[in-house]
Amino acid sequence: MDFIHNNQKYELILLHLAGSKLYGNSTPESDTDYRGIFIASPESKLGILNKVEQIEGKDVYKSLVNAGLNLEETDDVVLYELNRFVQLASDANPNIMD
């Protein structure tokens, strides 16, 4: 699924539930956490400027909703560029191991 964030086009290839709701230990006050992987444009990968490895926060939430995903405003979304995700996974980063 393609989405536009900060006037750049990205391809979302994975979005999954994370955090307390994934592990089944959430409370009624818990927010919903999502983690995902995207592919950046070739232009952003080849240049030294505008390199994007991770996007998160309310702006990415709005970008995904505008692209057609059904998310709540209170959802916490963190997306990793594919190369960054692989790097973090190879280092056994606990945020990635979900």
Side-chain angles (χ1 to χ4, degrees), residues 26-57:
S26 62
T27 67
E29 294 80 30
S30 296
D31 66 348
T32 303
D33 299 304
Y34 289 98
R35 301 293 175 262
I37 303 172
F38 69 93
I39 298 175
S41 67
E43 296 82 14
S44 68
K45 290 183 177 189
L46 298 174
I48 59 173
L49 300 176
N50 299 326
K51 184 176 180 180
V52 177
E53 294 184 333
Q54 177 177 326
I55 52 180
E56 60 186 293

Side-chain angles (χ1 to χ4, degrees), residues 24-96:
N25 59 3
S26 62
T27 67
E29 294 80 30
S30 296
D31 66 348
T32 303
D33 299 304
Y34 289 98
R35 301 293 175 262
I37 303 172
F38 69 93
I39 298 175
S41 67
E43 296 82 14
S44 68
K45 290 183 177 189
L46 298 174
I48 59 173
L49 300 176
N50 299 326
K51 184 176 180 180
V52 177
E53 294 184 333
Q54 177 177 326
I55 52 180
E56 60 186 293
K58 292 298 176 195
D59 289 339
V60 72
Y61 154 80
K62 291 176 186 175
S63 299
L64 294 174
V65 168
N66 288 339
L69 284 180
N70 185 19
L71 299 173
E72 299 293 324
E73 193 168 352
T74 57
D75 293 346
D76 177 32
V77 179
V78 178
L79 303 178
Y80 300 96
E81 204 284 323
L82 179 60
N83 291 333
R84 179 68 176 150
F85 174 84
V86 170
Q87 179 185 28
L88 292 169
S90 68
D91 292 337
N93 183 294
N95 292 322
I96 298 301

Side-chain angles (χ1 to χ4, degrees), residues 12-25:
L12 182 67
I13 60 173
L14 175 72
L15 186 66
H16 71 89
L17 191 61
S20 62
K21 290 191 178 177
L22 171 69
Y23 296 116
N25 59 3

